[in-house]
Amino acid sequence: MRAFHLSLLSFFACFVSTFAAPPLLPIIRDNLNLTAAEIGYAGIASVTGAIVARIAMGAACDTVGPRLASASLILITAPAVFFTPTVSSPVSFVLVRFLTGCSLATFVSTQYWMSSMFSSPVVGTANGVAAGWGNLGGGATQLVMPFAVTLIRRSTGAAKFTAWRIAFYVPGLFQMMTAFAVLIFGQDLPDGNFRRLENSGDEIPQILFHGVRNYRGWILALTYGYCFGVELTMDNVIAEYFYDRFNLELQTAGMIAASFGLANLISRPVGGRLSDEVAKRFGMRGRLWTLWLVQTLGGVLCVILGRVNSLGGSIVVMILFSFFCQAACGLTFGVVPFVSRRSLGLISGMTGGGGNVGAVITQLAFFRGSKYSKETGITYMGIMIICCTLPLCLINFPQWGGMFSSASSSSATEEDYYMAEWSSQEKERGLHQASLKFAENSRRERGRRSACNTAPANDTPSSSSPAIFAV
């Protein structure tokens, strides 16, 4: 639980830092004379840096552990937050947003950490709550930054062009404090830190090989690009959208925009919990069907949001859309831990990176410059969500099946699937034991009826056992 709270808090801080600028854009754009295109490029830059960073973070977690990997990245990116008050041109503004956005790769370490600390029956819930409450930072910053600017102006008499610069020291200090907390109080695995344990045998080439060749990871990266990627896009555009379209004051627009991110308080955890609950009855097939349904409904609501013309109606639809969009994120990471056990970090990084790729593509296509109005861009984004969710029907696990197919044969087992990632020499050395234990625990993904009929009684862990496994 200490790892849970530390990963949550550090990821929250990174979200606050990355999206500290959007709620202040009406002031920043006047101060730096930013054009609509330059604002668009800055938004794209804020989510571009994390694409490669997330994949690298996955490999880092597989080799040095989530504690050291996440704390190092947070400390490396913190200076970019402190340099934001010094920007004086559009180019420097885009650069600091790019560097700050790299910190969002801590999402991968958060999911890896939770998947290492919690067993398969509750891993979706653990991943959903940790990531969802971390994502709250995207909503909290919509409230905190305008409030900080107002407070600074009232207490010091500073001009608004000075106040917004001073305000950025708040997220910078917060981010650094969480990094030191992770280093001092964190622990990689239930039985210790990576460097104190015996060499697991996980060399980077093997991690890359087994992760990259697994097509399920690529499909989840695509679909995640249109739930989490959409969330990142909305964090960048929603405050400006309400400010300009409905002629609202800065703080009012920020409060409305904050409700989108703050929905993560319940939406993403609900998605993770829903994934676990459905799996108890219907197994992995239930997880996949629920993910498809929830994300598709989110796409429909996104289309509607772009067509609503009233302020009240837009707020209601936006809140509903945010719930389904973020719940789909939680549902996605109810599936990810089962794709590969040996390359868990890399698969998590690929999926997380896919979220950022989706955000970049969406912002380039629909929110760059003045080609489309914000409402038209939101409508087209909804259509993209619906289309890019369809490939989920292609995911199939030989031991569990997929959306439209059952297990490939009655002889296909979880052990066969996860042991295929280890060579005979590695098995002789006992390096596969953690994966073997996870395979035994994963029999629940067959669904209630199948598990009752086929799970061996003498070597399947009891449903009441804690079953906490290290990777």
Side-chain angles (χ1 to χ4, degrees):
M1 289 309 297
R2 187 167 70 249
F4 170 84
H5 292 297
L6 288 171
S7 63
L8 185 162
L9 187 62
S10 59
F11 185 44
F12 179 94
C14 292
F15 243 91
V16 170
S17 297
T18 299
F19 295 102
L24 304 183
L25 273 177
I27 298 176
I28 296 173
R29 69 185 179 187
D30 292 340
N31 189 192
L32 302 180
N33 296 317
L34 300 175
T35 65
E38 289 165 344
I39 292 174
Y41 285 127
I44 293 166
S46 70
V47 295
T48 301
I51 295 174
V52 176
R54 286 189 168 196
I55 297 174
M57 175 64 81
C61 288
D62 282 324
T63 52
V64 302
R67 169 180 158 271
L68 185 59
S70 62
S72 299
L73 180 64
I74 294 170
L75 290 174
I76 289 171
T77 55
V81 186
F82 289 111
F83 277 116
T84 302
T86 68
V87 300
S88 58
S89 67
V91 173
S92 57
F93 180 64
V94 171
L95 180 60
V96 294
R97 291 219 65 195
F98 172 84
L99 295 174
T100 304
C102 291
S103 66
L104 292 182
T106 51
F107 166 78
V108 176
S109 58
T110 296
Q111 300 297 275
Y112 185 98
W113 216 347
M114 297 304 95
S115 298
S116 300
M117 287 287 189
F118 294 89
S119 61
S120 60
V122 295
V123 70
T125 303
N127 277 334
V129 176
W133 290 2
N135 284 2
L136 278 174
T141 195
Q142 304 277 354
L143 294 173
V144 170
M145 295 306 289
F147 176 77
V149 169
T150 301
L151 184 64
I152 291 168
R153 293 189 67 186
R154 289 178 178 175
S155 60
T156 67
K160 63 179 182 180
F161 289 167
T162 301
W164 79 260
R165 297 174 184 273
I166 299 174
F168 267 86
Y169 288 101
V170 175
L173 289 170
F174 182 33
Q175 182 172 323
M176 286 194 67
M177 289 171 62
T178 62
F180 289 117
V182 168
L183 280 174
I184 296 170
F185 302 110
Q187 180 173 302
D188 290 312
L189 303 168
D191 50 353
N193 288 321
F194 263 49
R195 64 183 176 84
R196 292 181 180 175
L197 301 175
E198 292 184 6
N199 186 354
S200 67
D202 279 342
E203 297 178 357
I204 291 179
Q206 289 297 318
I207 294 170
L208 291 174
F209 175 75
H210 291 290
V212 171
R213 70 192 291 263
N214 196 319
Y215 77 93
R216 301 168 191 85
W218 293 106
I219 292 177
L220 289 171
L222 170 63
T223 59
Y224 196 63
Y226 285 90
C227 54
F228 183 67
V230 166
E231 182 181 348
L232 292 178
T233 299
M234 292 296 285
D235 282 338
N236 271 325
V237 305
I238 195 66
E240 190 181 12
Y241 167 71
F242 278 102
Y243 180 86
D244 290 334
R245 188 174 186 195
F246 298 105
N247 298 314
L248 302 178
E249 294 182 357
L250 179 64
Q251 281 187 284
T252 304
M255 291 176 65
I256 295 173
S259 63
F260 186 91
L262 291 175
N264 272 296
L265 180 65
I266 58 171
S267 55
R268 187 157 184 158
V270 165
R273 181 67 175 177
L274 181 60
S275 183
D276 288 336
E277 291 299 319
V278 169
K280 290 179 182 178
R281 175 79 178 173
F282 302 105
M284 178 56 67
R285 298 179 69 186
R287 290 185 192 267
L288 293 171
W289 268 108
T290 308
L291 171 56
W292 173 82
L293 179 62
V294 169
Q295 188 158 320
T296 299
L297 288 174
V300 172
L301 287 166
C302 186
V303 172
I304 295 173
L305 176 60
R307 309 298 295 174
V308 176
N309 294 317
S310 66
L311 175 60
S314 294
I315 294 173
V316 171
V317 175
M318 182 197 69
I319 292 173
L320 290 173
F321 166 47
S322 69
F323 182 87
F324 280 89
C325 175
Q326 293 155 8
C329 296
L331 283 157
T332 299
F333 274 84
V335 177
V336 166
F338 300 95
V339 173
S340 170
R341 202 59 188 172
R342 183 169 191 177
S343 302
L344 172 62
L346 183 60
I347 294 294
S348 298
M350 288 166 55
T351 305
N356 288 72
V357 171
V360 170
I361 293 174
T362 301
Q363 291 180 68
L364 279 173
F366 307 130
F367 299 101
R368 180 185 59 168
S370 55
K371 181 178 181 180
Y372 299 111
S373 64
K374 289 287 193 300
E375 52 268 33
T376 301
I378 290 172
T379 298
Y380 288 161
M381 182 169 66
I383 296 172
M384 287 286 286
I385 294 171
I386 296 170
C387 293
C388 291
T389 306
L390 292 174
L392 282 172
C393 67
L394 301 176
I395 293 181
N396 182 280
F397 292 87
Q399 71 276 31
W400 301 318
M403 289 175 62
F404 296 103
S405 61
S406 57
S408 58
S409 71
S410 58
S411 61
T413 67
E414 290 75 11
E415 286 81 357
D416 292 337
Y417 181 78
Y418 292 111
M419 292 307 99
E421 298 180 323
W422 298 90
S423 67
S424 57
Q425 292 84 357
E426 289 171 325
K427 291 177 184 177
E428 290 175 0
R429 295 166 57 194
L431 300 177
H432 68 301
Q433 290 300 320
S435 293
L436 181 61
K437 194 69 175 177
F438 181 80
E440 293 173 356
N441 193 245
S442 296
R443 289 182 183 138
R444 295 177 176 89
E445 296 305 309
R446 301 175 184 180
R448 183 176 297 171
R449 293 178 184 175
S450 245
C452 290
N453 293 335
T454 63
N458 61 342
D459 61 358
T460 303
S462 166
S463 60
S464 62
S465 73
I468 298 177
F469 309 123
V471 178

